[in-house]
Amino acid sequence: MIRKIVKFPEPVLAQQTQPVEKFDEELGKLVEDMFESMYAVEGVGLAAPQIGISLRLAVIDVTVGKNPEARLVLANPEITHSEGEQREEEGCLSLPGFRGLVLRPKFVTVRAQDATGKEWEMRGEDLLARAFCHEIDHLYGTLFINHLSMLKRDLIRRRVRKLQKAGDW
Ligand code: NI
């Protein structure tokens, strides 16, 4: 089932999330919904708060559905190592139409659980490293605009407010 993606500045996007504790059928369904909702808008990552659920849970697929083996479920993820730097344009499904240059590590190692509770660890590079950081940020209530200068962030806020007033957001 495709879920509605909530947009900035919905309060749920700025909240800390609760750990995933039950790895049951319901969680499996939620994860499937998250992949479906993400693919529907051709995203490479989606965090549970973006569909209004304040859980420490995200999905990532940097191939946008082309390679089923690239599907990653991040339940209770933690960054265990990062190194290097990359500065690339980033966007977010909760801020459609907006992008900004964000400095991230070039390599990021993540430890997380899958939808069944099994632990996994993976080292990501470039786009995957950035997706790890971006989605884990969401689980702490942080959006990519929080990494931009205050000037750029305020500009985006003002433009969102204008779009809201016009009924286009
Ligand atoms: Ni995002």
Side-chain angles (χ1 to χ4, degrees):
M1 187 178 78
I2 293 176
R3 310 271 192 123
K4 187 174 175 255
I5 294 175
V6 302
K7 291 179 193 167
F8 172 85
E10 282 288 326
V12 69
L13 293 172
Q15 283 167 10
Q16 291 269 345
T17 53
Q18 297 298 312
V20 178
E21 281 166 352
K22 274 201 273 178
F23 293 88
D24 53 8
E25 203 179 312
E26 201 181 321
L27 184 76
K29 275 189 194 142
L30 174 60
V31 163
E32 282 314 307
D33 283 358
M34 286 173 69
F35 276 113
E36 205 181 326
S37 309
M38 178 179 83
Y39 292 141
V41 286
E42 288 176 13
V44 298
L46 183 73
Q50 293 184 277
I51 54 165
I53 296 171
S54 199
L55 259 188
R56 206 172 303 285
L57 176 70
V59 297
I60 289 175
D61 178 354
V62 293
T63 74
V64 201
K66 287 191 190 84
N67 177 5
E69 281 170 25
R71 287 164 59 113
L72 294 173
V73 176
L74 292 81
N76 305 320
E78 259 179 82
I79 291 175
T80 56
H81 182 78
S82 62
E83 63 181 273
E85 281 184 0
Q86 56 169 323
R87 198 179 168 85
E88 296 289 339
E89 275 220 321
E90 224 166 272
C92 179
L93 297 176
S94 295
L95 274 155
F98 294 98
R99 299 186 73 78
L101 275 175
V102 180
L103 183 68
R104 301 283 194 189
K106 183 165 173 66
F107 301 96
V108 174
T109 305
V110 163
R111 187 188 299 149
Q113 288 165 280
D114 69 12
T116 67
K118 198 177 141 211
E119 260 203 22
W120 57 269
E121 192 167 43
M122 187 187 281
R123 179 175 150 105
E125 187 179 346
D126 297 329
L127 177 59
L128 181 56
R130 195 158 66 249
F132 280 157
C133 294
H134 181 111
E135 299 313 323
I136 291 172
D137 265 0
H138 270 297
L139 307 182
Y140 292 92
T142 300
L143 300 178
F144 81 89
I145 55 168
N146 297 105
H147 294 286
L148 305 179
S149 69
M150 216 195 280
L151 196 75
K152 281 182 187 151
R153 195 159 63 236
D154 283 345
L155 188 72
I156 291 176
R157 275 210 195 98
R158 280 205 300 275
R159 279 165 62 193
V160 167
R161 237 175 269 141
K162 248 191 199 166
L163 287 167
Q164 281 178 313
K165 272 189 195 156
D168 295 331
W169 189 248

